[in-house]
Amino acid sequence: MIELKDITKAYKSNGVNTYVLRHLNIDIQPGEFVSIMGPSGAGKSTLLNIIGMLDTASEGEYMFYGDPVHSLNDKKRSLLYREHIGFVFQSYHLIDELTVYENLETPLLYKKIKSAQRKSMVCDTLDKFQIVGKKDLFPNQLSGGQQQLVGVARALISSPKLLLADEPTGNLHSEQGREIMEVFKTLNEEGTTIIQATHSEVNASYASRLIKLRDGWLVDE
């Protein structure tokens, strides 16, 4: 599914390269649940953003289902992302001016799904995540746990092949975090490939595979 070959990410400032990722080689198969761990600054979020096509590597090759992501233009990468990937962010990234219903509908609008089908998909998702009663509320009317649940629902509404999660429970209390992780566990059991970046040993334990980074290097797997 995912093949990363010699992935390096560096930022140049005043002629000096600062390396965030260094020569990573990682393969991920369909149906895996992978946790990426490491201290702050290890490169976890950068790696996740590259896999999620929100950032590009400075060097190396990235193959996604046989497509050479590293050599695609922005438009083609964006199409691949919208078709196959859902992303859950630590800071939720909900659109403040839209209701819960409208936030869930947004990725379906990008995919140009017809109105009747959109309505059906949103209603099914509201029901699945038990947030029907929140559909007309705005993000600032929700608790942190409810916002994250909406973020997860939005990432999953179009049944992506790959779910990426960057510190998905970082702003939640322990019970809310456990609920989110149980949702991930169920999704993975149903066949969704999941890659999460986390500081939490508890969250990492939900995965079947652990990748550890330090200073941009792969140090353990």
Side-chain angles (χ1 to χ4, degrees):
M1 182 181 193
I2 291 170
E3 296 177 62
L4 302 177
K5 298 179 180 178
D6 202 33
I7 292 293
T8 296
K9 180 69 176 182
Y11 297 97
K12 183 170 283 190
S13 178
N14 298 322
V16 177
N17 281 331
T18 300
Y19 285 89
V20 184
L21 297 175
R22 302 169 186 259
H23 307 292
L24 300 185
N25 293 285
I26 299 170
D27 290 349
I28 294 172
Q29 302 301 318
E32 284 199 274
F33 190 159
V34 179
S35 287
I36 301 170
M37 293 194 77
S40 295
K44 300 186 301 297
S45 293
T46 301
L47 176 57
L48 211 61
N49 286 336
I50 288 173
I51 293 173
M53 305 177 198
L54 303 180
D55 197 359
T56 55
S58 305
E59 301 172 25
E61 298 181 358
Y62 171 16
M63 305 295 291
F64 183 82
Y65 277 109
D67 283 306
V69 177
H70 54 280
S71 61
L72 299 179
N73 60 33
D74 289 346
K75 183 178 180 180
K76 288 183 178 178
R77 277 201 305 272
S78 180
L79 284 172
L80 261 187
Y81 174 91
R82 290 205 299 265
E83 190 67 28
H84 300 296
I85 297 175
F87 212 124
V88 180
F89 302 92
Q90 179 178 358
S91 53
Y92 317 135
H93 282 206
L94 301 178
I95 302 169
D96 292 337
E97 297 77 18
L98 300 183
T99 64
V100 167
Y101 185 102
E102 292 164 339
N103 265 282
L104 294 180
E105 187 180 34
T106 298
L108 305 180
L109 290 168
Y110 282 124
K111 295 185 78 169
K112 298 181 179 178
I113 292 171
K114 292 182 179 179
S115 176
Q117 187 179 357
R118 283 202 313 272
K119 182 177 181 180
S120 175
M121 292 171 75
V122 172
C123 288
D124 286 348
T125 300
L126 288 166
D127 187 51
K128 180 177 182 179
F129 285 88
Q130 300 178 19
I131 49 176
V132 175
K134 312 292 184 187
K135 68 183 179 67
D136 296 321
L137 299 181
F138 292 91
N140 64 6
Q141 296 174 294
L142 304 174
S143 70
Q146 290 165 346
Q147 288 188 60
Q148 190 61 302
L149 200 57
V150 174
V152 173
R154 184 184 58 182
L156 293 167
I157 193 166
S158 54
S159 300
K161 292 180 179 176
L162 173 64
L163 178 66
L164 303 174
D166 192 3
E167 298 288 357
T169 67
N171 293 326
L172 309 180
H173 63 62
S174 56
E175 180 58 26
Q176 291 171 327
R178 188 192 65 78
E179 290 172 1
I180 295 295
M181 293 311 302
E182 287 295 330
V183 169
F184 285 1
K185 180 181 177 182
T186 300
L187 290 166
N188 180 246
E189 289 169 350
E190 292 171 352
T192 303
T193 305
I194 299 176
I195 306 172
Q196 68 165 342
T198 182
H199 281 101
S200 167
E201 296 278 357
V202 174
N203 288 3
S205 70
Y206 280 82
S208 54
R209 180 177 168 197
L210 180 62
I211 292 172
K212 289 187 178 180
L213 300 179
R214 185 178 298 122
D215 298 326
W217 296 99
L218 179 63
V219 295
D220 192 20
E221 185 169 356

